[in-house]
Amino acid sequence: MTADDGFDHDHLSGRFTATPAEEERATDEALARCDLFTTTEVDANRRSRCLREPGFTAIFGNKGGRDDCGIVVRNTRFAVLEGGTQTLSPLTYITERGDRSDTTEGAYAVLKDKMTGRKGVGVGGHMPHGMQTELRLGTYSSDVARAYLGVLKGGRHLANG
């Protein structure tokens, strides 16, 4: 199942400084035009509430640590066969503030496309940042670069599970 199957996917990298009203407005605008929606920064109940809309199924985590991602699917297009959150990598790293991160969790949804009958898996995770140069050069010496690669591998493993 891919976007080539004729469904629309939108992603919103949320902003932790956004008010719940701003988050709600941005989410409503995206859901008005897409069948599959992924987002980050839904790190509190007041933010994750905006993912619960009539006609949609929302999947999001327990809001602990780096469990701030959500997936929303249009019920007329997809049946959610399974969904939840799972640790994508056990690796942690030192954040820009100098704190040790928690493990990175990802939201996932096993979906059946009601139009094509095809099945697929959607995974959303909040990726570490600040190691783009290492990735470009192929040098994975920092803990954040290793965590980034670990999250990618975990997401691939979950999707292929």
Side-chain angles (χ1 to χ4, degrees), residues 7 11 74 122:
F7 67 85
H11 176 78
R74 186 179 300 278

Side-chain angles (χ1 to χ4, degrees), residues 52-75:
R52 293 185 176 173
E53 294 289 340
F56 293 86
T57 298
I59 297 132
F60 49 87
N62 65 9
K63 308 301 158 252
R66 293 190 56 79
D67 190 6
D68 67 344
C69 298
I71 298 174
V72 183
V73 298
R74 186 179 300 278
N75 294 335

Side-chain angles (χ1 to χ4, degrees), residues 93-111:
Y93 54 93
I94 302 299
T95 68
E96 293 168 330
R97 291 188 302 262
D99 301 323
R100 173 123 339 246
S101 75
D102 199 348
T103 58
T104 299
E105 315 305 308
Y108 71 92
V110 180
L111 305 172

Side-chain angles (χ1 to χ4, degrees), residues 107-139:
Y108 71 92
V110 180
L111 305 172
K112 181 176 181 182
D113 187 328
K114 292 179 178 180
M115 292 181 69
T116 67
R118 294 179 68 184
K119 295 177 184 174
V121 179
V123 178
H126 197 159
M127 301 301 289
H129 64 281
M131 72 300 137
Q132 291 83 348
T133 300
E134 287 180 77
L135 295 177
R136 186 173 45 78
L137 297 176
T139 59

